[in-house]
Amino acid sequence: MAQPTGMPVVKQEPVEETDIEKVILDLCQKNPDGIDNKIIEQGLSHCDVQQRVAAINKLLTTGCIDLLQIGQRLLYRLKDTAGDNQLKGTDTQDKLVYQIIKEADNKGIWIRDIRSKSNLPLTQLNKVLKNLENKELIKAVKSVAAPKKKVYMLFNLEPDSSVTGGAWYSDQDFESELVDLLNQQCYKFLEQKAKNSTWILSHSNAATATAEEVLGYITQLRVVTVQLKVEDIVTILNTLIFDGKITQSTRVGASGSRVSSHCHEGGAISPGTCVYMRDWLEL
């Protein structure tokens, strides 16, 4: 279509590749744990996909950032230049062991696996590990999976919850009192919602709650000092389900599973007698 006569033409200035790279590096600096493509896209919304991909590839090939896979997520993180600088002039074996540990990220790696990958004798490996620890390049962390053993990871990393046990462990000890407290408070929250609603209202989710809502309630109570996540609350809710105190349901059109304290087989409200359940299943 021809441009109407007299209509001003807005010329889009090309974005310099170095400017895009600088934005990505700044984002990595602000997010030391790593950034994903969504964060990059938000920070560079004025650039097209090809420009972003070209800048990321250049930063990867020049060694400015690393690409890591944490669970199901792909993250870009600033390259650990401090560690690389401290390794300059050190033994080749030190560099080899450091790289093996670096690849394990925050889940760490057992000394047995380091030995297998490095092919170093145990006495020599212990010497290398001690040297890297003294330089504060790596650290040994006790794992809840095997309290008498340690996993090694880079010094500046926060251990994954699979290593520390997350909110349920303190100094390798299981916090049973914390779990009991959260069990009581989660159930109390659901029970209060059920008591404050009628049967008709419960069908519209008034007597149910998502894990996010339960977390919000627990956070407001300030009964715990640890930072809880939705995954932690789901764990607690699962224990209540196993104990037969609550049930879990997925409602059509809902954003996630909801839990209820009164709807269960044999109860006044049960899936077997629920008219709404029959309608939903078209029985």
Side-chain angles (χ1 to χ4, degrees):
M1 180 180 295
Q3 186 72 29
T5 306
M7 180 72 70
V9 178
V10 179
K11 182 180 179 181
Q12 185 175 5
E13 294 294 332
V15 183
E16 293 290 338
E17 186 175 327
T18 53
D19 293 337
I20 300 176
E21 294 169 15
K22 185 178 184 302
V23 171
I24 295 174
L25 291 174
D26 288 342
L27 289 172
C28 288
Q29 189 73 41
K30 294 175 183 177
N31 301 273
D33 291 335
I35 60 175
D36 56 17
N37 283 317
K38 185 176 181 180
I39 294 177
I40 295 175
E41 184 177 347
Q42 291 172 347
L44 291 165
S45 57
H46 58 289
C47 301
D48 58 37
V49 177
Q50 288 79 9
Q51 289 176 307
R52 293 197 297 267
V53 170
I56 291 171
N57 286 337
K58 186 173 180 180
L59 290 172
L60 287 170
T61 54
T62 54
C64 295
I65 61 174
D66 287 323
L67 176 60
L68 306 168
Q69 182 168 352
I70 308 297
Q72 299 296 320
R73 300 178 65 201
L74 288 176
L75 298 176
Y76 302 98
R77 184 185 295 171
L78 281 180
K79 193 172 181 64
D80 182 25
T81 54
D84 293 341
N85 290 336
Q86 286 181 270
L87 283 171
K88 287 182 179 179
T90 58
D91 193 278
T92 304
Q93 294 176 344
D94 288 17
K95 295 179 181 178
L96 173 62
V97 173
Y98 177 85
Q99 188 60 38
I100 292 172
I101 295 174
K102 182 178 179 180
E103 291 172 357
D105 203 58
N106 64 342
K107 290 188 177 181
I109 183 170
W110 305 104
I111 188 170
R112 178 190 64 242
D113 296 328
I114 300 175
R115 185 182 178 187
S116 174
K117 291 185 176 184
S118 65
N119 291 320
L120 291 175
L122 184 58
T123 53
Q124 182 62 31
L125 178 56
N126 283 328
K127 182 180 178 182
V128 170
L129 292 172
K130 189 67 175 177
N131 185 36
L132 293 174
E133 283 187 272
N134 289 337
K135 292 182 177 181
E136 294 189 344
L137 291 172
I138 66 169
K139 61 183 175 183
V141 180
K142 290 183 178 180
S143 172
V144 294
K148 293 184 179 180
K149 296 182 179 180
K150 296 179 290 186
V151 294
Y152 290 90
M153 65 184 65
L154 296 190
F155 186 81
N156 63 336
L157 293 182
E158 185 71 25
D160 185 76
S161 59
S162 63
V163 177
T164 63
W168 318 128
Y169 284 80
S170 176
D171 297 327
Q172 309 304 308
D173 294 325
F174 181 67
E175 295 282 355
S176 59
E177 293 182 0
L178 173 62
V179 173
D180 291 340
L181 173 63
L182 290 175
N183 263 283
Q184 295 168 11
Q185 293 300 329
C186 288
Y187 183 73
K188 180 180 178 181
F189 173 64
L190 293 169
E191 193 173 40
Q192 286 175 343
K193 291 203 73 177
K195 286 180 179 178
N196 293 335
S197 63
T198 65
W199 160 227
I200 296 299
L201 287 177
S202 69
H203 173 61
S204 61
N205 290 343
T208 62
T210 63
E212 288 82 359
E213 292 168 340
V214 180
L215 174 60
Y217 169 76
I218 297 296
T219 303
Q220 289 179 350
L221 286 182
R222 298 183 180 179
V223 293
V224 296
T225 57
V226 296
Q227 184 72 34
L228 296 174
K229 301 177 181 178
V230 174
E231 292 80 5
D232 300 323
I233 296 299
V234 170
T235 301
I236 294 296
L237 294 174
N238 282 335
T239 64
L240 292 173
I241 292 173
F242 296 148
D243 290 341
K245 293 181 178 179
I246 66 172
T247 58
Q248 183 180 26
S249 63
T250 304
R251 296 185 183 274
V252 178
S255 60
S257 297
R258 306 181 71 87
V259 288
S260 168
S261 61
H262 276 192
C263 180
H264 59 83
E265 282 295 345
I269 302 171
S270 73
T273 60
C274 177
V275 294
Y276 299 105
M277 181 68 75
R278 290 202 301 270
D279 290 343
W280 180 44
L281 296 175
E282 297 181 353
L283 296 177

